[in-house]
Amino acid sequence: MALRGTLSRLLRTQFSTTCQNRTHSVAVLGAPFSKGQKRRGVEHGPKAIRDAGLIERLSNLDYPVHDFGDLSFQNLDKDEPYMQVPFPRSVGRANKLLSEAVGSAVASGHTTVMLGGDHSLAIGSVEGHARQCPDLCLIWVDAHADINTPLTSPSGNLHGQSVAFMLKELQNKMPELPGFSWVKPFLSAKDLVYIGLRDVDPGEYDILKELGIQCFTMRDIDRLGIQRVMEVTLDHLLSRKQRPIHLSFDIDAMDPSLAPATGTPVNGGLTYREGIWITEEIHNTGLLSVMDLVEVNPVLGASREAVEVTASLAVDIIASSLGQSRQGGLLGPLGIPETRTNTQNMQLE
Ligand SMILES: NC(=[NH2+])NCCC[C@H](N)C(=O)O
Ligand SMILES: [Mn+2]
Ligand SMILES: [Mn+2]
């Protein structure tokens, strides 16, 4: 009994330090994978983002950075489509590997950055994170909701279905796909917020409505302003308790003029400053635990510049999520002191 008490206390301490005291060190993990969709090139995303100076930029922030390099994904020669879904076994297997890698980076106490690759990788990334931190919440920044099921998906592509694998509420709507027997739904609809939506399929619309998922479309951002959107987002997820945040950032959330090198661009996206505001506010909570930066596709840039601006925007978004500030200086922020809401104050103490 005594031993059991000690063990559970030990596990509890381990658990709370793993899942709460963030940003002592950063782990970077590349996932060069593209079979969640049909266009080639997105597997070169991690290299493009590293070449744009990611590691150097993160080294200028205040904590050690561990670059764990890129995972290596095996090619399966036989991977026939299942219910119009291409490459199910390859996507399932890659995500299992990624889940284990993210899980162990989180268990080692690192704030973890996953570089994609296509957005199907969020399945493994969020799942691995949730195994370590079961009470995490998810902020999905994207032009798309990626919440199709194999039955509603117009394209079949798994990068448009990642969230459907996670949600407990969709369990009965998800067929068993080959390669995915290891994933059991782990997230509740109330623990998810979308920001930046502007291209939602009819089946996705029905799911979002039915489950009452908190969404901020581009129209909501125009109407409320990004400051209010983040206030409501963080309030929705954190007002009851402090919990680890998983940020899944699809580069196509940004306007295509800023992020042209991506597979499914949609006009009318986030401005540079809206993107940075989102990540600064998430950093300010002190609760960011894992982030994904996905869908940078260097092959789809019309020119070298187009690829470089996209990759360097990805670097800015990551650095800002991890504390790079626009207010500089060790002597405290410039500008007018900010008054914060109660929720935000609670996080900052
Ligand atoms: N991660 C992405 N870029 N997803 C785009 C998804 C597009 C479309 N909704 C689909 O299901 O195919
Ligand atoms: Mn998208
Ligand atoms: Mn996406």
Side-chain angles (χ1 to χ4, degrees), residues 225-286:
I226 197 66
Q227 187 271 334
R228 180 69 185 143
V229 164
M230 289 314 291
E231 207 168 281
V232 181
T233 296
L234 298 175
D235 209 64
H236 179 84
L237 297 171
L238 305 174
S239 61
R240 274 175 309 114
K241 62 171 181 208
Q242 297 217 6
R243 57 219 292 232
I245 297 175
H246 190 115
L247 167 63
S248 205
F249 203 117
D250 185 329
I251 199 72
D252 73 27
M254 302 301 292
D255 192 79
S257 58
L258 305 165
T262 191
T264 48
V266 189
N267 277 335
L270 297 169
T271 64
Y272 183 91
R273 279 156 57 179
E274 286 165 341
I276 296 301
W277 181 269
I278 293 169
T279 52
E280 285 175 348
E281 287 299 285
I282 291 174
H283 170 76
N284 286 343
T285 65

Side-chain angles (χ1 to χ4, degrees), residues 78-93:
K78 261 195 79 65
D79 193 3
E80 298 309 312
Y82 184 85
M83 300 174 65
Q84 329 268 26
V85 172
F87 317 118
R89 297 161 197 83
S90 306
V91 177
R93 185 197 278 212

Side-chain angles (χ1 to χ4, degrees), residues 46-184:
K47 179 170 188 320
I49 299 170
R50 284 204 178 83
D51 289 351
L54 177 69
I55 304 300
E56 296 80 339
R57 280 283 283 290
L58 299 184
S59 311
N60 294 335
L61 304 173
D62 271 349
Y63 26 71
V65 179
H66 304 268
D67 186 354
F68 288 92
D70 289 353
L71 292 168
S72 72
F73 301 112
Q74 283 160 5
N75 247 333
L76 295 175
D77 346 305
K78 261 195 79 65
D79 193 3
E80 298 309 312
Y82 184 85
M83 300 174 65
Q84 329 268 26
V85 172
F87 317 118
R89 297 161 197 83
S90 306
V91 177
R93 185 197 278 212
N95 274 288
K96 185 163 191 285
L97 189 71
L98 178 60
S99 159
E100 282 153 17
V102 167
S104 58
V106 171
S108 310
H110 304 302
T111 302
T112 303
V113 179
M114 187 280 281
L115 309 175
D118 72 66
H119 216 168
S120 70
L121 293 163
I123 303 169
S125 175
V126 185
E127 204 271 350
H129 186 192
R131 269 181 204 259
Q132 298 299 320
C133 308
D135 66 339
L136 65 75
C137 58
L138 176 59
I139 302 179
W140 195 276
V141 182
D142 202 326
H144 310 94
D146 296 345
I147 198 168
N148 275 300
T149 71
L151 294 149
T152 67
S153 172
S155 63
N157 295 337
L158 282 163
H159 78 158
Q161 306 178 36
S162 330
V163 178
F165 286 85
M166 302 175 197
L167 288 185
K168 294 179 191 160
E169 289 88 343
L170 290 178
Q171 191 146 29
N172 300 330
K173 298 202 163 108
M174 288 298 284
E176 278 268 339
L177 239 54
F180 286 89
S181 59
W182 59 277
V183 197
K184 298 286 167 266

